Amino acid sequence: MTTIGKRLALLALAGGVALFAAPGPATAADHHGASLLLACENGRNYPVHPAAISDEGDLVSGYIVVGPRRAIPIRLIPMGEGYRYAGRGIWFDGVDGDAELDWRAPGAAVPCKLEQG
């Protein structure tokens, strides 16, 4: 079980975060309600909302809010060390709090910090 997965499970269950987050506009409320937040060097923050958490406490699937009225479903892709979450046209991976958000386009990768939302 990853540290991020444990942290996310505790935040989602203890914090009363809805386990299904409907895609919608990215507002201040989205940032406040997100269990995790990708704070990226491009100056943008991308909230991550859980949809499913495994029995071991790992985030299995969820949504990353990338803009107004745009949330992309993501799912865990098992890796040896660290984590990777991918969706249509986007993924982020990393180890602990260091992550990289990639838009599947040459030169589009952005270094980020994965923080509690």
Side-chain angles (χ1 to χ4, degrees), residues 78-96:
M79 296 181 66
E81 184 176 325
Y83 51 87
R84 174 172 285 175
Y85 292 93
R88 182 169 286 182
I90 192 171
W91 80 77
F92 69 91
D93 54 13
V95 177
D96 294 325

Side-chain angles (χ1 to χ4, degrees), residues 18-33:
L19 291 181
F20 271 99
T27 64
D30 289 326
H31 294 283
H32 179 6

Side-chain angles (χ1 to χ4, degrees), residues 22-107:
T27 64
D30 289 326
H31 294 283
H32 179 6
S35 293
L36 293 174
L37 188 67
L38 276 174
C40 298
E41 289 184 6
N42 64 359
R44 299 209 39 212
N45 294 323
Y46 302 93
V48 178
H49 296 277
I53 298 173
S54 72
D55 291 339
E56 292 81 27
D58 290 324
L59 173 69
V60 176
S61 64
Y63 295 91
I64 182 170
V65 179
V66 296
R69 298 188 171 270
R70 182 139 191 252
I72 300 173
I74 55 171
R75 67 178 178 83
L76 175 65
I77 297 174
M79 296 181 66
E81 184 176 325
Y83 51 87
R84 174 172 285 175
Y85 292 93
R88 182 169 286 182
I90 192 171
W91 80 77
F92 69 91
D93 54 13
V95 177
D96 294 325
D98 296 319
E100 186 172 89
L101 180 63
D102 199 317
W103 295 91
R104 292 189 181 156

